[in-house]
């Protein structure tokens, strides 16, 4: 075989190998370009020197939670903004739209829960029967325990509307319980003691419901 032919074959082999290598690298790069990678690239591009996008993103993340944020925005279609001519405006519009939609949904849910609580109060506001007294003694004990353990979500969404407590009523109740330093000390030392405190409260409440059922005269009027 002539030397020129040998050289030609060698060059062809090198070119084929190089093409195969580039193809393999391109494939690996494409495989690594996941939705999360695309999201990160889009966020970096649109958030740079743009506080409006950053603020809108942070507002939405507070409602959703940082842990679920990426999955949520990907599923809701944020990645379509990467093909938009004005991607920053697209992302800003997406964040704000989702934020106000979620906020509206949460407010609607709260109103629904408050209405249900109102309905339950009206159903139970027949007379101060023994069963109703027992029921509200139990609920009052749970309500007080929630304040001691700082379960603010349940207090705001359930107990406050259930007991028809105004902000002023809540402030007075918080003030009274916050002054109970000894009980707070016991709970800090042994959180399970809250169960014993609840039982004691119910027992005291059954003996004197008017002074221990929270907002008694508004419930049994």
């Amino acid at each position: 075989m002539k030397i020129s032919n040998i050289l030609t074959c060698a060059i062809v082999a090198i070119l084929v190998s190089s093409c195969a290598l580039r193809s393999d690298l391109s494939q690996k790069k494409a495989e690594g370009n996941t939705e999360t990678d695309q999201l990160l690239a889009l966020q970096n591009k649109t958030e740079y020197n743009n506080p409006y996008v950053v603020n809108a993103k942070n507002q939405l993340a507070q409602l959703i939670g940082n842990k679920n944020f990426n999955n949520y925005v990907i599923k809701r279609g944020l990645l379509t903004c990467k093909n938009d001519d004005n991607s920053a405006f697209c992302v800003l519009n997406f964040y704000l739209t989702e934020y106000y939609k979620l906020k509206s949904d949460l407010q609607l849910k709260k109103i629904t829960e408050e209405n249900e609580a109102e309905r339950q109060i009206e159903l139970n506001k027949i007379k101060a029967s023994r069963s109703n007294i027992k029921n509200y003694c139990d609920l009052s004990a749970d309500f007080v325990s929630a304040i001691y353990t700082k379960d603010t979500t349940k207090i705001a969404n359930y107990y406050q509307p259930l007991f028809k407590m105004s902000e002023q009523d809540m402030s007075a109740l918080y003030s009274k319980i916050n002054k109970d330093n000894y009980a707070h000390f016991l709970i800090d030392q042994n959180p399970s003691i809250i169960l014993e405190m609840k039982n004691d409260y119910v027992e005291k409440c059954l003996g004197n419901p008017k002074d221990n059922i929270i907002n008694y005269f508004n419930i049994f009027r």
Side-chain angles (χ1 to χ4, degrees):
M1 180 181 290
K2 292 182 180 181
I3 293 176
S4 60
N5 290 339
I6 294 173
L7 289 175
T8 300
C9 289
I11 291 170
V12 170
I14 291 170
L15 289 174
V16 170
S17 176
S18 176
C19 288
L21 179 60
R22 283 200 300 270
S23 176
D24 185 54
L25 288 174
S26 298
Q27 183 178 356
K28 287 184 178 179
K29 184 178 180 181
E31 289 173 352
N33 192 21
T34 63
E35 288 184 328
T36 302
D37 295 329
Q38 294 174 43
L39 176 63
L40 182 60
L42 178 62
Q43 289 173 330
N44 288 338
K45 175 184 175 183
T46 57
E47 291 174 20
Y48 178 72
N49 211 22
N50 194 330
Y52 299 105
V53 173
V54 174
N55 290 339
K57 173 189 172 183
N58 291 339
Q59 280 186 318
L60 182 60
Q62 284 182 345
L63 288 183
I64 299 170
N66 290 323
K67 184 178 179 181
N68 301 315
F69 183 79
N70 286 353
N71 286 337
Y72 178 89
V73 296
I74 288 172
K75 288 180 179 178
R76 297 294 296 175
L78 178 60
L79 291 181
T80 58
C81 288
K82 65 187 175 68
N83 299 320
D84 196 280
D85 292 336
N86 190 345
S87 56
F89 178 79
C90 180
V91 170
L92 176 62
N93 183 58
F94 174 91
Y95 286 153
L96 292 177
T97 300
E98 290 298 321
Y99 172 77
Y100 286 111
K101 178 182 179 299
L102 282 177
K103 194 170 183 180
S104 176
D105 290 345
L106 290 173
Q107 288 174 340
L108 181 61
K109 181 181 178 184
K110 184 177 180 180
I111 291 171
T112 301
E113 289 174 346
E114 288 175 351
N115 288 341
E116 177 60 20
E118 292 276 357
R119 189 179 74 84
Q120 289 298 328
I121 289 173
E122 293 301 324
L123 287 174
N124 291 330
K125 200 190 297 177
I126 301 171
K127 61 179 181 178
S129 65
R130 184 166 183 172
S131 61
N132 284 336
I133 292 292
K134 175 66 170 62
N135 183 39
Y136 274 92
C137 278
D138 289 335
L139 286 169
S140 295
D142 290 335
F143 190 0
V144 171
S145 298
I147 296 177
Y148 275 114
T149 56
K150 299 181 175 61
D151 190 352
T152 55
T153 300
K154 195 165 187 179
I155 291 168
N157 293 338
Y158 181 68
Y159 291 118
Q160 185 174 353
L162 177 65
F163 282 87
K164 282 198 156 185
M165 300 286 281
S166 66
E167 292 300 325
Q168 186 176 358
D169 294 332
M170 289 300 303
S171 179
L173 186 59
Y174 270 117
S175 178
K176 180 179 179 180
I177 291 176
N178 288 336
K179 289 177 182 177
D180 190 358
N181 295 325
Y182 182 63
H184 285 292
F185 170 78
L186 292 177
I187 294 169
D188 289 341
Q189 296 298 310
N190 180 15
S192 65
I193 202 169
I194 195 72
L195 297 175
E196 185 177 336
M197 291 173 60
K198 284 170 61 175
N199 292 334
D200 289 344
Y201 192 99
V202 172
E203 184 177 346
K204 183 172 67 171
C205 180
L206 291 174
N208 184 7
K210 289 184 179 180
D211 289 339
N212 290 284
I213 289 179
I214 298 173
N215 220 4
Y216 177 95
F217 291 103
N218 192 35
I219 294 171
F220 298 114
R221 63 185 178 187

